[in-house]
């Protein structure tokens, strides 16, 4: 093969990362095509968000948003736990709605979670990027965001676009029209962000462990960030709520540790104190959030002040996606070809019946 025609390593992933604001603009129209409102009448007592990998972290951010914006009790449960510990998801006497998140719509554990819900008479709302997949056929209603799908294995724009779609749902279900208007402005806010400053940090191989700190809906983004860095650049990473970092993990903070604080508005001063303490142990600090660089971060990805914790949730994602991309390239790794990873995990489970029942035969 002519070397000149070989694609640049990571070309697909980089293109997909930068395409996010434009893809986000199409989310309201994608939502309008799905009659999801009927699953909220009567109003469920609890929403159980579920998914695997990046989609589980998306579930965490979506659950926090629904609690705050729609005022409905919401939890995020890994799809495998819905199958093996359904009592953690569905309490007797509680009217639940299962919300299954799957870019591919083919992850076995997530399809099995649908079977568990069905067997209990629990309605299912799905969200996926593949209209031809199994998930839309298995759900009562499925929101589809097809142009957010990636060619790459790693999820970037599908994560943020499906999260934005669910945040719009929360606004609709909560009757908060102003929230939905604020969400529609998010793509324009993203265009105002200068994400490129993260490239130098990604290219600096003098750190080799990353800690992502995020609270409430940003915790799901922090978890996604740790996953992206791991998948793209084979780097050890962890995610914590910011103030949790003092309760043990800070013992590892040193000169080879990168702290990425996804700062919230609600707890900003206290979160900044944690970052400064970590810096005191030699850790490097990156700040992603609005306002001033009050943590003496060596890199500040400044987000617009009007972002807010439940409107600007997705705005931190391109920064952490680019961190993973640039670190992969600096390490000579192609983020378009992540090691030992498939587009989705297919298991030899029956998914037409709850796993436990299927195991009993
Ligand atoms: C879920 C997932 C991805 C992960 C990898 C394997 O896929 O765990 O989050 O990055 O691609 O599959 P899906 O259920 O959202 O399609």
């Amino acid at each position: 093969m002519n070397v000149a025609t070989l694609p640049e390593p990571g070309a697909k992933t980089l293109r997909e990362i930068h395409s996010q604001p434009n893809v986000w603009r199409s989310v309201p129209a994608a939502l309008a095509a799905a009659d999801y409102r009927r699953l909220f009448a009567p109003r469920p007592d609890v929403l159980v968000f579920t998914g695997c990998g990046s989609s589980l972290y998306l579930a965490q951010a979506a659950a926090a948003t629904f609690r705050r914006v729609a005022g409905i009790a919401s939890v995020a449960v890994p799809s495998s736990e819905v199958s093996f510990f359904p009592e953690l998801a569905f309490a007797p006497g509680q009217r639940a709605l299962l919300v299954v998140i799957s870019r591919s719509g083919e992850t076995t554990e997530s399809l099995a979670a649908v079977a568990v819900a069905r067997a209990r008479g629990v309605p299912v709302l799905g969200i996926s990027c593949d209209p031809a997949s199994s998930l839309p056929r298995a759900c009562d209603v499925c929101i589809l965001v097809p142009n957010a799908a990636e060619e790459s294995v790693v999820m970037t724009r599908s994560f943020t676009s499906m999260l934005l779609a669910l945040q719009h749902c929360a606004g609709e279900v909560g009757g908060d029209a102003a929230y939905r208007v604020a969400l529609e402005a998010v793509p324009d806010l993203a265009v105002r962000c200068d994400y490129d400053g993260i490239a130098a940090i990604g290219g600096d191989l003098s750190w080799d462990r990353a800690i992502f700190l995020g609270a409430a809906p940003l915790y799901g983004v922090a978890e996604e960030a740790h996953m992206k860095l791991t998948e793209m650049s084979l780097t050890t990473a962890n995610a914590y709520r910011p103030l949790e970092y003092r309760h043990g993990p800070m013992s590892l903070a040193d000169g080879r540790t990168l702290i990425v604080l996804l700062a919230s508005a609600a707890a900003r001063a206290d979160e900044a104190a944690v970052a400064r303490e970590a810096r005191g142990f030699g850790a490097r600090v990156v700040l992603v959030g609005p306002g001033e660089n009050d943590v003496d971060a060596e890199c500040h990805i400044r987000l617009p002040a009007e972002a807010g914790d439940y409107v600007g949730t997705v705005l931190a994602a391109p920064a952490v996606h680019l961190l993973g991309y640039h670190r992969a390239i600096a390490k000579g790794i192609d983020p378009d070809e992540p090691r030992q990873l498939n587009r989705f995990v297919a298991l030899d489970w029956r998914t037409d019946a709850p796993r436990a029942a299927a195991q009993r035969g």
Side-chain angles (χ1 to χ4, degrees), residues 123-282:
V124 182
L125 170 62
I127 184 165
S128 179
C129 296
D130 187 344
S133 66
S134 302
L135 187 64
R137 294 192 294 275
C139 298
D140 292 278
V141 175
C142 194
I143 297 164
L144 292 166
V145 195
N147 62 344
E150 297 90 356
E151 288 180 66
S152 303
V153 169
V154 295
M155 293 171 68
T156 48
R157 66 187 188 192
S158 58
F159 176 91
T160 53
S161 301
M162 291 194 286
L163 174 54
L164 208 48
L166 289 173
Q167 292 187 312
H168 272 287
C169 289
E172 182 70 17
V173 168
D176 190 340
Y179 178 66
R180 291 204 66 184
V181 168
L183 287 176
E184 294 198 359
V186 166
D188 294 329
L189 297 181
V191 170
R192 285 167 45 191
C193 297
D194 175 9
Y195 293 111
D196 292 338
I198 204 80
I201 302 290
D204 175 351
L205 298 182
S206 64
W207 59 271
D208 58 17
R209 170 175 53 237
I211 301 293
F212 295 92
L213 303 177
L218 290 168
Y219 175 63
V221 181
E223 285 278 22
E224 168 60 3
H226 109 269
M227 168 79 96
K228 279 302 91 82
L229 193 70
T230 301
E231 290 181 337
M232 286 198 223
S233 71
L234 306 180
T235 302
T236 302
N238 297 95
Y240 302 99
R241 272 78 173 194
L243 271 70
E244 278 299 302
Y245 187 55
R246 287 196 187 96
H247 296 271
M250 196 182 276
S251 54
L252 285 177
D254 62 12
R256 300 190 65 80
T257 303
L258 180 72
I259 304 285
V260 181
L261 173 58
L262 310 184
S264 74
R268 178 62 185 272
D270 293 274
E271 293 170 351
V274 173
R276 285 193 293 268
E277 285 174 38
R279 209 174 141 62
F281 292 117

Side-chain angles (χ1 to χ4, degrees), residues 78 110 184 214 234 269 281 306 313 317 320 356:
S110 300
E184 294 198 359
L234 306 180
F281 292 117
E306 61 268 38
T313 315
V320 299

Side-chain angles (χ1 to χ4, degrees), residues 8-78:
E8 277 292 303
K12 288 189 287 188
T13 302
L14 187 62
R15 186 170 55 246
E16 290 154 358
I17 292 170
H18 285 308
S19 72
Q20 292 184 92
N22 282 335
V23 174
W24 296 347
R25 294 185 198 287
S26 65
V27 163
L31 261 183
D35 182 19
Y36 62 90
R37 295 162 190 78
R38 69 182 177 86
L39 297 180
F40 291 88
R43 191 183 175 86
D45 300 323
V46 62
L47 303 177
V48 180
F49 291 83
T50 195
C52 300
S54 293
S55 297
L56 170 59
Y57 307 137
L58 203 169
Q60 290 169 338
T65 304
F66 263 85
R67 273 199 300 273
R68 170 66 177 76
V69 176
I72 303 177
S74 305
V75 293
V77 179

Side-chain angles (χ1 to χ4, degrees), residues 52-55 102-104 107 153 155 231 341-344:
C52 300
S54 293
S55 297
S102 178
R103 167 188 66 176
S104 65
T107 295
V153 169
M155 293 171 68
E231 290 181 337
L341 198 58
N342 295 315
R343 191 169 184 73
F344 61 89

